[in-house]
Amino acid sequence: MRQTVIAIIALLIVFTLETFHIIQWYDTSVWPLIVFSFGLIVHIYVFKRGVREHEVFLLLPAAIALWMGALAFGHYFSLNDGTMYVLAFTIGLFEWWLFSGEEWLKTPLLFCFGCSVAASLETGDIFLLLVVLTIGIGAYMYNIKNERANAH
């Protein structure tokens, strides 16, 4: 606990010094790296403890942070590109649904999946379309596997 408090205080001091231009360390790749690190840390926390039913919702913001940081850090998308936000939210919903098994998440997941396909077709990014289709195929295969397992 003490190390966490010290790390937070150190970050606040650095951000304050940078805000008042006492130090100049800002680079365009800093914020995506911080966002990516947050998502990665939350994923490690959830999976290291075992995916518990009351903590599985943490995968939604963690996946959003992880994928937005990864896509922005890779300079594949610009930060103003709306497709990045839709894709990150869709992946977050997919992880939440996959590990929680809650049936009510299917409708928002399918809606966001449709929005992701539409956004990727609008921008013309074939990579984005392949990622979105992979999510959809994975969700479909998982659903079919569960239906077959429940049939017996």
Side-chain angles (χ1 to χ4, degrees), residues 37-89:
S37 299
F38 170 74
L40 187 64
I41 289 168
V42 174
H43 270 88
I44 290 170
Y45 170 79
V46 169
F47 289 123
K48 188 174 182 181
R49 292 174 48 109
V51 182
R52 298 179 182 179
E53 187 175 329
H54 64 279
E55 292 177 347
V56 74
F57 73 93
L58 291 173
L59 291 174
L60 178 65
I64 291 171
L66 183 78
W67 284 98
M68 285 183 63
L71 293 173
F73 189 69
H75 302 291
Y76 186 73
F77 295 102
S78 67
L79 288 176
N80 297 325
D81 196 357
T83 57
M84 181 174 66
Y85 302 116
V86 175
L87 177 64
F89 191 76

Side-chain angles (χ1 to χ4, degrees), residues 63-130:
I64 291 171
L66 183 78
W67 284 98
M68 285 183 63
L71 293 173
F73 189 69
H75 302 291
Y76 186 73
F77 295 102
S78 67
L79 288 176
N80 297 325
D81 196 357
T83 57
M84 181 174 66
Y85 302 116
V86 175
L87 177 64
F89 191 76
T90 303
I91 293 172
L93 274 178
F94 177 66
E95 284 186 6
W96 188 10
W97 171 73
L98 187 67
F99 292 106
S100 73
E102 298 200 23
E103 294 298 317
W104 67 271
L105 285 171
K106 281 185 180 179
T107 303
L109 176 63
L110 290 174
F111 177 74
C112 287
F113 176 71
C115 290
S116 295
V117 169
S120 63
L121 288 174
E122 180 184 355
T123 60
D125 290 330
I126 192 70
F127 173 73
L128 181 62
L129 183 61
L130 291 175

Side-chain angles (χ1 to χ4, degrees), residues 1-13:
M1 180 68 178
R2 177 182 274 180
Q3 294 172 343
T4 305
V5 171
I6 291 172
I8 290 172
I9 290 172
L11 278 174
L12 287 174
I13 290 172

